[in-house]
Amino acid sequence: LPAGLAKAVAARQEAEALVRFARIMTLNAHDYRVEPDKAALYIRVARANHSCDPNCGLQAGPKGELFFYALREIAAGEEILYSYLGGHFTLHPRSLRQSQLLQVKLFECCCTRCLGTEAEPQVPCGASGCLCFLDWDGGAELWRCPACSAEVPDSSDRLAAGRRMAPLLGSKARALEAQWADP
């Protein structure tokens, strides 16, 4: 190739590599707590997928490490899933979660929770420390947990209290969102 063309090709390849790196960092980097205003790319964390019903959360260590911690029992071979948006976003309705993921992470969520119907409210299991959401079984008038198999009758006091608290939780989630609109 002529020298001028070779330089142009090399410059374009360098620019493409830089743009690719910037995209990777924008979508996968996390705050580096050891040095404020810096970010780090945690390779194992970047390889984990998102779910609006995660089985893991993230915790920063004192030396800048980022650890997964289990939110419920995880079976051998089960995929590690965490919420890309942070814990309180799992309280939001599907439309808001999907809008935020599209805006910040550039994808439409297709997790089992988002693909399911959300005509019924999302009900946390809460049995024995389980952090999953219950599935509605209308035929049996029961809510069942897919993780721990707990069953809660639709007429339970706990669900009645949850229904009374739902508007308050929604306003609390919106207040948190207003303080931290861009994860």
Side-chain angles (χ1 to χ4, degrees), residues 1-16:
L1 291 175
L5 184 55
K7 282 184 182 179
V9 168
R12 180 177 171 90
Q13 288 173 340
E14 287 177 20
E16 286 175 1

Side-chain angles (χ1 to χ4, degrees), residues 68-108:
F68 286 113
Y69 62 91
L71 294 172
R72 61 174 171 80
E73 189 171 318
I74 301 170
E78 184 177 351
E79 183 177 13
I80 299 298
L81 301 167
Y82 76 103
S83 172
Y84 289 175
L85 298 175
H88 77 273
F89 276 94
T90 61
L91 298 173
H92 289 271
R94 175 181 35 214
S95 61
L96 188 55
R97 294 189 317 265
Q98 287 191 334
S99 168
Q100 193 70 7
L101 283 165
L102 192 57
Q103 176 186 354
V104 177
K105 297 296 184 177
L106 308 179
F107 76 95
E108 186 174 326

Side-chain angles (χ1 to χ4, degrees), residues 76-149:
E78 184 177 351
E79 183 177 13
I80 299 298
L81 301 167
Y82 76 103
S83 172
Y84 289 175
L85 298 175
H88 77 273
F89 276 94
T90 61
L91 298 173
H92 289 271
R94 175 181 35 214
S95 61
L96 188 55
R97 294 189 317 265
Q98 287 191 334
S99 168
Q100 193 70 7
L101 283 165
L102 192 57
Q103 176 186 354
V104 177
K105 297 296 184 177
L106 308 179
F107 76 95
E108 186 174 326
C109 185
C110 294
C111 73
T112 55
R113 186 168 170 218
C114 284
L115 291 177
T117 61
E118 226 175 44
E120 297 297 332
Q122 296 293 305
V123 179
C125 175
S128 304
C130 182
L131 297 176
C132 278
F133 289 92
L134 300 173
D135 293 331
W136 171 243
D137 181 350
E141 296 288 316
L142 286 173
W143 294 84
R144 289 197 172 104
C145 179
C148 73
S149 302

